[in-house]
Structure formats: structure tokens, C-alpha cells
């Protein structure tokens, strides 16, 4: 009987998101992410074919966060002004995520 998956793919994306938000992409390795969250590298490579796929999935997760959460925040009555302010606030509050998306 196969073992039950304890660490889900969604958890791996959240770990990658949190790591990226805190440390950036400079040292984004399976070993470093696993070490920071007290897990082995096996769940990463079990869920994603390789580190490049993991990085892409984490970036996609960050992009969804930016568009679905941060850029929907209302700062002004004019939607275009509000969007611009939200984008600037995202870059100020999440510099590592911003650099990861727009480097």
C-alpha cells in the first residue's frame, strides 16, 4: 500500500512562496527550502519534475497572489489610479516577490 502524502503540492507552493518572500531567488534551492521548513527535499522532487518546474510553479503562485489579492485592493475611487497604487504598494511591501517577477 502506498504511503499517504503528508506534504501536499499546495504546501510546497506555499513554502516556496514564503521562502521567496523572505530570502529571494538568490539561494532558492530544494535543499535550502527544505531546510527552512524542516522537511526533506523528497516532497519537492516528488511533486515537481525538477527545480526549474518548482521555480516556475512558485512564480505562478506569486503572480496569482499579486493579481488576485494585492492588485484588487482598493485605494482610490478611480480603478486605474487604485490599480497603480496597489502595484506600487505590492512592490514596496514585497520587494523579493516583486524582484522575482520583474527581474
Amino acid at each position: 500500500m502506498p504511503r499517504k502524502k503528508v506534504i501536499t503540492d499546495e504546501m510546497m507552493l506555499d513554502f516556496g512562496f514564503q521562502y521567496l518572500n523572505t530570502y529571494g531567488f538568490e539561494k532558492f534551492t530544494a535543499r535550502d527550502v527544505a531546510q527552512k521548513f524542516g522537511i526533506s527535499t523528497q516532497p519537492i522532487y516528488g511533486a515537481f519534475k525538477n527545480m526549474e518546474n518548482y521555480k516556475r510553479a512558485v512564480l505562478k503562485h506569486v503572480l496569482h497572489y499579486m493579481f488576485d489579492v494585492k492588485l484588487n485592493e482598493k485605494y482610490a475611487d478611480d480603478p486605474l489610479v487604485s490599480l497603480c497604487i496597489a502595484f506600487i504598494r505590492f512592490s514596496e511591501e514585497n520587494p523579493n516577490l516583486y524582484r522575482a517577477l520583474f527581474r
Side-chain angles (χ1 to χ4, degrees):
M1 177 187 279
R3 291 178 24 184
K4 184 178 178 185
K5 198 174 195 178
V6 177
I7 300 172
T8 66
D9 296 359
E10 188 65 29
M11 290 170 68
M12 294 309 310
L13 291 175
D14 288 339
F15 290 161
F17 179 96
Q18 291 173 40
Y19 183 93
L20 187 59
N21 194 24
T22 305
Y23 303 104
F25 253 147
E26 288 73 36
K27 288 184 157 185
F28 193 88
T29 64
R31 181 172 290 142
D32 209 33
V33 171
Q35 181 184 27
K36 297 291 189 228
F37 294 98
I39 61 172
S40 74
T41 59
Q42 191 281 329
I44 295 171
Y45 291 115
F48 304 95
K49 186 175 179 180
N50 54 43
M51 268 311 283
E52 189 61 33
N53 286 355
Y54 183 47
K55 287 179 181 181
R56 285 183 185 154
V58 169
L59 282 176
K60 187 176 178 181
H61 193 60
V62 170
L63 199 60
H64 285 288
Y65 168 75
M66 183 182 76
F67 278 105
D68 296 343
V69 176
K70 299 311 282 181
L71 297 185
N72 279 322
E73 293 176 355
K74 186 175 179 182
Y75 294 99
D77 289 332
D78 183 332
L80 186 57
V81 172
S82 189
L83 178 66
C84 293
I85 293 170
F87 191 80
I88 291 167
R89 299 262 331 245
F90 173 79
S91 69
E92 292 173 341
E93 295 169 0
N94 306 282
N96 287 328
L97 298 180
Y98 179 82
R99 277 193 293 278
L101 290 173
F102 302 105
R103 58 182 160 125

